[in-house]
Amino acid sequence: LDSLHQEMEECLKKLGFGFIKRTGQGGGGCISQGEVFNTDKGKIFVKKNSKKGADVMFKGEMRSLEEIESTNTIKVPHPIAVTDNPEGPGTIFVMEYLDMKYLSNQAALGEALAKLHLHNRSREGQEGYVEEFGFDTKTCCGFIPQDNSWQSDWVTYYKSKLGEQVKLTKDEELLGIWPRFQEKIGDYFEGLTIKPSLLHGDLWSGNASQCGDKPVIFDAAAFYGHDEYDLGIAKMFGG
């Protein structure tokens, strides 16, 4: 065990940390586990997952946090690196440790999310505006990869996104009605002008918290899409 701990510390030092010490604090959810380390640059949180495909999940999450962080609209843990797990199979994701607590200021979260959703749309016609729907890398909702290939309109992207999940169910009845249902998806958005908004992508109460008096979101699966998508996910999972 000591040798494995030493390998983790050596791995983290290669990322630019001069001092590494375990705090004994841990955490995680139903998919990954994590551990907190003291370093010369402040505390860091190391998420671990031993499953095949964890690198895809963590790389997508890191890219998602980078994109959200770049908007300066809402706090996320600063992502640092994704690399092989030195303590065994799988992958680790190293990020800033935030001392998070129960989210008591729901209004502040709503305001910050609105700013996030409006950020790209406010840059329309300017350099850096994202005019298509999708994302530049795969992300995962839970442990399920999402393709995120760019599409020129929301309905086409949404059909692709839903269709990807429908196929994974292997439900013969659902697969049978899907071709007819997808033809009607556009009807739900008829008459609307939908511009790409940067989304968290997997937003529910388990992926939002508070640091001080500021809202924090994490475990993101970002993409550019319809801003109400985040609200739909939150409602579905009890956000």
Side-chain angles (χ1 to χ4, degrees), residues 185-222:
I185 289 177
D187 297 346
Y188 292 94
F189 305 101
E190 189 173 355
L192 299 178
T193 300
I194 302 170
K195 302 288 186 179
S197 292
L198 178 59
L199 308 176
H200 176 283
D202 190 14
L203 184 68
W204 66 293
S205 58
N207 290 344
S209 189
Q210 195 166 309
C211 190
D213 60 352
K214 299 290 179 66
V216 179
I217 55 176
F218 47 92
D219 288 356

Short mmCIF file of all heavy atoms in Angstrom, two decimals, residues 185-222:
data_model
loop_
_atom_site.label_atom_id
_atom_site.label_comp_id
_atom_site.label_asym_id
_atom_site.label_seq_id
_atom_site.Cartn_x
_atom_site.Cartn_y
_atom_site.Cartn_z
N ILE A 185 -40.12 15.49 -33.63
CA ILE A 185 -39.37 16.29 -32.65
C ILE A 185 -39.33 17.77 -33.05
O ILE A 185 -39.48 18.66 -32.20
CB ILE A 185 -37.94 15.74 -32.47
CG1 ILE A 185 -38.01 14.41 -31.72
CG2 ILE A 185 -37.04 16.72 -31.72
CD1 ILE A 185 -36.68 13.72 -31.53
N GLY A 186 -39.17 18.03 -34.33
CA GLY A 186 -39.13 19.42 -34.78
C GLY A 186 -40.39 20.20 -34.46
O GLY A 186 -40.35 21.43 -34.30
N ASP A 187 -41.52 19.50 -34.33
CA ASP A 187 -42.78 20.19 -34.03
C ASP A 187 -42.74 20.89 -32.68
O ASP A 187 -43.39 21.93 -32.49
CB ASP A 187 -43.95 19.19 -34.03
CG ASP A 187 -44.18 18.54 -35.39
OD1 ASP A 187 -43.61 19.06 -36.39
OD2 ASP A 187 -44.90 17.53 -35.45
N TYR A 188 -41.99 20.33 -31.74
CA TYR A 188 -41.91 20.91 -30.40
C TYR A 188 -41.17 22.25 -30.40
O TYR A 188 -41.31 23.04 -29.46
CB TYR A 188 -41.20 19.95 -29.44
CG TYR A 188 -41.97 18.70 -29.14
CD1 TYR A 188 -41.77 17.53 -29.86
CD2 TYR A 188 -42.94 18.68 -28.13
CE1 TYR A 188 -42.48 16.38 -29.59
CE2 TYR A 188 -43.66 17.53 -27.85
CZ TYR A 188 -43.43 16.38 -28.59
OH TYR A 188 -44.14 15.24 -28.32
N PHE A 189 -40.38 22.50 -31.43
CA PHE A 189 -39.58 23.72 -31.48
C PHE A 189 -40.01 24.64 -32.63
O PHE A 189 -39.31 25.61 -32.95
CB PHE A 189 -38.10 23.35 -31.63
CG PHE A 189 -37.60 22.42 -30.56
CD1 PHE A 189 -37.46 21.06 -30.80
CD2 PHE A 189 -37.30 22.91 -29.29
CE1 PHE A 189 -37.02 20.20 -29.81
CE2 PHE A 189 -36.85 22.05 -28.29
CZ PHE A 189 -36.71 20.69 -28.55
N GLU A 190 -41.16 24.33 -33.21
CA GLU A 190 -41.63 25.11 -34.36
C GLU A 190 -41.86 26.57 -33.97
O GLU A 190 -42.44 26.88 -32.93
CB GLU A 190 -42.95 24.52 -34.90
CG GLU A 190 -43.39 25.12 -36.21
CD GLU A 190 -44.60 24.41 -36.80
OE1 GLU A 190 -45.02 23.38 -36.23
OE2 GLU A 190 -45.11 24.88 -37.83
N GLY A 191 -41.36 27.48 -34.81
CA GLY A 191 -41.53 28.90 -34.57
C GLY A 191 -40.51 29.51 -33.63
O GLY A 191 -40.54 30.73 -33.38
N LEU A 192 -39.60 28.69 -33.05
CA LEU A 192 -38.60 29.20 -32.12
C LEU A 192 -37.27 29.46 -32.82
O LEU A 192 -36.87 28.71 -33.70
CB LEU A 192 -38.37 28.20 -30.99
CG LEU A 192 -39.57 27.85 -30.10
CD1 LEU A 192 -39.16 26.80 -29.07
CD2 LEU A 192 -40.12 29.09 -29.41
N THR A 193 -36.61 30.52 -32.42
CA THR A 193 -35.25 30.78 -32.87
C THR A 193 -34.31 30.36 -31.75
O THR A 193 -34.28 30.99 -30.69
CB THR A 193 -35.03 32.27 -33.19
OG1 THR A 193 -35.95 32.67 -34.23
CG2 THR A 193 -33.61 32.52 -33.67
N ILE A 194 -33.60 29.28 -31.97
CA ILE A 194 -32.75 28.70 -30.91
C ILE A 194 -31.28 28.95 -31.25
O ILE A 194 -30.80 28.51 -32.29
CB ILE A 194 -33.02 27.20 -30.75
CG1 ILE A 194 -34.50 26.97 -30.43
CG2 ILE A 194 -32.14 26.61 -29.66
CD1 ILE A 194 -34.91 25.53 -30.49
N LYS A 195 -30.61 29.65 -30.37
CA LYS A 195 -29.18 29.94 -30.53
C LYS A 195 -28.39 29.06 -29.56
O LYS A 195 -28.86 28.74 -28.46
CB LYS A 195 -28.89 31.41 -30.23
CG LYS A 195 -29.67 32.40 -31.10
CD LYS A 195 -29.15 32.41 -32.53
CE LYS A 195 -29.84 33.49 -33.35
NZ LYS A 195 -29.33 33.54 -34.73
N PRO A 196 -27.18 28.65 -29.92
CA PRO A 196 -26.40 27.77 -29.04
C PRO A 196 -26.00 28.44 -27.72
O PRO A 196 -25.45 29.54 -27.73
CB PRO A 196 -25.15 27.44 -29.88
CG PRO A 196 -25.52 27.79 -31.29
CD PRO A 196 -26.49 28.92 -31.20
N SER A 197 -26.31 27.79 -26.64
CA SER A 197 -25.88 28.22 -25.30
C SER A 197 -24.95 27.16 -24.74
O SER A 197 -25.17 25.96 -24.93
CB SER A 197 -27.08 28.35 -24.36
OG SER A 197 -27.92 29.41 -24.72
N LEU A 198 -23.93 27.59 -24.02
CA LEU A 198 -23.05 26.64 -23.34
C LEU A 198 -23.80 26.08 -22.14
O LEU A 198 -24.29 26.83 -21.29
CB LEU A 198 -21.75 27.30 -22.89
CG LEU A 198 -20.78 26.39 -22.13
CD1 LEU A 198 -20.37 25.18 -22.97
CD2 LEU A 198 -19.54 27.17 -21.70
N LEU A 199 -23.90 24.76 -22.06
CA LEU A 199 -24.65 24.08 -21.01
C LEU A 199 -23.74 23.26 -20.10
O LEU A 199 -22.68 22.80 -20.52
CB LEU A 199 -25.68 23.14 -21.64
CG LEU A 199 -26.60 23.74 -22.71
CD1 LEU A 199 -27.49 22.67 -23.29
CD2 LEU A 199 -27.43 24.88 -22.13
N HIS A 200 -24.19 23.05 -18.88
CA HIS A 200 -23.51 22.11 -17.99
C HIS A 200 -23.66 20.70 -18.54
O HIS A 200 -22.72 19.92 -18.59
CB HIS A 200 -24.11 22.20 -16.59
CG HIS A 200 -23.56 21.21 -15.61
ND1 HIS A 200 -23.94 19.87 -15.60
CD2 HIS A 200 -22.66 21.33 -14.61
CE1 HIS A 200 -23.30 19.24 -14.65
NE2 HIS A 200 -22.52 20.09 -14.01
N GLY A 201 -24.88 20.35 -18.97
CA GLY A 201 -25.12 19.10 -19.65
C GLY A 201 -25.57 17.93 -18.79
O GLY A 201 -26.13 16.96 -19.31
N ASP A 202 -25.35 18.02 -17.48
CA ASP A 202 -25.78 16.95 -16.57
C ASP A 202 -26.13 17.59 -15.23
O ASP A 202 -25.68 17.16 -14.17
CB ASP A 202 -24.68 15.91 -16.41
CG ASP A 202 -25.15 14.65 -15.67
OD1 ASP A 202 -26.37 14.47 -15.52
OD2 ASP A 202 -24.30 13.86 -15.24
N LEU A 203 -26.94 18.64 -15.30
CA LEU A 203 -27.20 19.47 -14.12
C LEU A 203 -28.34 18.94 -13.28
O LEU A 203 -29.47 18.83 -13.74
CB LEU A 203 -27.51 20.90 -14.58
CG LEU A 203 -27.70 21.91 -13.45
CD1 LEU A 203 -26.38 22.16 -12.72
CD2 LEU A 203 -28.26 23.22 -14.00
N TRP A 204 -28.03 18.59 -12.05
CA TRP A 204 -29.05 18.23 -11.07
C TRP A 204 -28.49 18.58 -9.70
O TRP A 204 -27.36 19.08 -9.59
CB TRP A 204 -29.43 16.75 -11.20
CG TRP A 204 -28.34 15.77 -10.85
CD1 TRP A 204 -27.19 15.57 -11.55
CD2 TRP A 204 -28.30 14.88 -9.73
NE1 TRP A 204 -26.43 14.60 -10.94
CE2 TRP A 204 -27.09 14.16 -9.84
CE3 TRP A 204 -29.17 14.61 -8.68
CZ2 TRP A 204 -26.72 13.20 -8.89
CZ3 TRP A 204 -28.80 13.65 -7.75
CH2 TRP A 204 -27.60 12.95 -7.86
N SER A 205 -29.27 18.34 -8.66
CA SER A 205 -28.87 18.80 -7.32
C SER A 205 -27.57 18.17 -6.84
O SER A 205 -26.85 18.77 -6.04
CB SER A 205 -29.98 18.50 -6.31
OG SER A 205 -30.29 17.12 -6.27
N GLY A 206 -27.24 16.97 -7.34
CA GLY A 206 -26.00 16.32 -6.94
C GLY A 206 -24.76 16.90 -7.58
O GLY A 206 -23.64 16.59 -7.17
N ASN A 207 -24.94 17.76 -8.61
CA ASN A 207 -23.80 18.36 -9.31
C ASN A 207 -23.74 19.88 -9.13
O ASN A 207 -23.12 20.58 -9.93
CB ASN A 207 -23.88 18.04 -10.81
CG ASN A 207 -23.60 16.58 -11.09
OD1 ASN A 207 -23.06 15.87 -10.25
ND2 ASN A 207 -23.96 16.12 -12.27
N ALA A 208 -24.39 20.36 -8.09
CA ALA A 208 -24.35 21.79 -7.76
C ALA A 208 -24.18 21.94 -6.26
O ALA A 208 -24.71 21.15 -5.48
CB ALA A 208 -25.62 22.49 -8.23
N SER A 209 -23.42 22.96 -5.87
CA SER A 209 -23.15 23.17 -4.46
C SER A 209 -22.86 24.65 -4.23
O SER A 209 -23.22 25.49 -5.06
CB SER A 209 -21.98 22.29 -4.01
OG SER A 209 -21.83 22.30 -2.62
N GLN A 210 -22.21 24.94 -3.13
CA GLN A 210 -21.93 26.31 -2.76
C GLN A 210 -20.55 26.38 -2.12
O GLN A 210 -20.17 25.50 -1.36
CB GLN A 210 -23.00 26.81 -1.78
CG GLN A 210 -23.05 28.30 -1.59
CD GLN A 210 -24.33 28.72 -0.88
OE1 GLN A 210 -25.42 28.34 -1.29
NE2 GLN A 210 -24.19 29.49 0.20
N CYS A 211 -19.79 27.41 -2.45
CA CYS A 211 -18.47 27.65 -1.87
C CYS A 211 -18.49 29.06 -1.32
O CYS A 211 -18.54 30.02 -2.10
CB CYS A 211 -17.39 27.47 -2.93
SG CYS A 211 -15.71 27.47 -2.29
N GLY A 212 -18.47 29.21 0.01
CA GLY A 212 -18.74 30.52 0.58
C GLY A 212 -20.21 30.85 0.31
O GLY A 212 -21.09 30.05 0.61
N ASP A 213 -20.45 32.00 -0.30
CA ASP A 213 -21.83 32.34 -0.68
C ASP A 213 -22.04 32.25 -2.18
O ASP A 213 -23.05 32.71 -2.71
CB ASP A 213 -22.18 33.76 -0.19
CG ASP A 213 -21.27 34.83 -0.77
OD1 ASP A 213 -20.27 34.47 -1.44
OD2 ASP A 213 -21.55 36.02 -0.56
N LYS A 214 -21.08 31.64 -2.90
CA LYS A 214 -21.14 31.56 -4.36
C LYS A 214 -21.53 30.14 -4.81
O LYS A 214 -21.01 29.15 -4.28
CB LYS A 214 -19.79 31.93 -4.97
CG LYS A 214 -19.32 33.35 -4.65
CD LYS A 214 -20.17 34.38 -5.36
CE LYS A 214 -19.71 35.79 -5.01
NZ LYS A 214 -18.35 36.08 -5.53
N PRO A 215 -22.42 30.02 -5.80
CA PRO A 215 -22.77 28.70 -6.32
C PRO A 215 -21.61 28.07 -7.09
O PRO A 215 -20.80 28.78 -7.70
CB PRO A 215 -23.96 28.99 -7.24
CG PRO A 215 -23.79 30.42 -7.65
CD PRO A 215 -23.15 31.11 -6.48
N VAL A 216 -21.56 26.76 -7.06
CA VAL A 216 -20.53 25.99 -7.76
C VAL A 216 -21.21 24.85 -8.51
O VAL A 216 -22.13 24.23 -7.99
CB VAL A 216 -19.50 25.38 -6.77
CG1 VAL A 216 -18.44 24.57 -7.51
CG2 VAL A 216 -18.86 26.45 -5.92
N ILE A 217 -20.76 24.60 -9.74
CA ILE A 217 -21.23 23.41 -10.46
C ILE A 217 -20.03 22.56 -10.84
O ILE A 217 -18.92 23.06 -11.02
CB ILE A 217 -22.07 23.78 -11.71
CG1 ILE A 217 -21.30 24.71 -12.65
CG2 ILE A 217 -23.39 24.40 -11.30
CD1 ILE A 217 -22.03 25.04 -13.95
N PHE A 218 -20.25 21.25 -10.97
CA PHE A 218 -19.15 20.32 -11.24
C PHE A 218 -19.70 19.09 -11.94
O PHE A 218 -20.90 19.03 -12.26
CB PHE A 218 -18.42 19.95 -9.94
CG PHE A 218 -19.33 19.59 -8.80
CD1 PHE A 218 -19.69 18.27 -8.57
CD2 PHE A 218 -19.85 20.57 -7.96
CE1 PHE A 218 -20.54 17.93 -7.53
CE2 PHE A 218 -20.71 20.24 -6.91
CZ PHE A 218 -21.05 18.92 -6.70
N ASP A 219 -18.85 18.10 -12.21
CA ASP A 219 -19.25 16.86 -12.92
C ASP A 219 -19.99 17.20 -14.22
O ASP A 219 -21.03 16.62 -14.53
CB ASP A 219 -20.13 15.98 -12.04
CG ASP A 219 -19.35 15.31 -10.91
OD1 ASP A 219 -18.12 15.48 -10.87
OD2 ASP A 219 -19.97 14.63 -10.08
N ALA A 220 -19.45 18.13 -14.97
CA ALA A 220 -20.13 18.63 -16.17
C ALA A 220 -19.94 17.72 -17.38
O ALA A 220 -18.93 17.02 -17.49
CB ALA A 220 -19.63 20.04 -16.50
N ALA A 221 -20.92 17.77 -18.26
CA ALA A 221 -20.86 17.09 -19.56
C ALA A 221 -21.29 18.11 -20.61
O ALA A 221 -22.34 17.98 -21.25
CB ALA A 221 -21.76 15.87 -19.58
N ALA A 222 -20.51 19.14 -20.76
CA ALA A 222 -20.92 20.35 -21.48
C ALA A 222 -21.12 20.12 -22.98
O ALA A 222 -20.54 19.23 -23.59
CB ALA A 222 -19.88 21.45 -21.27
#
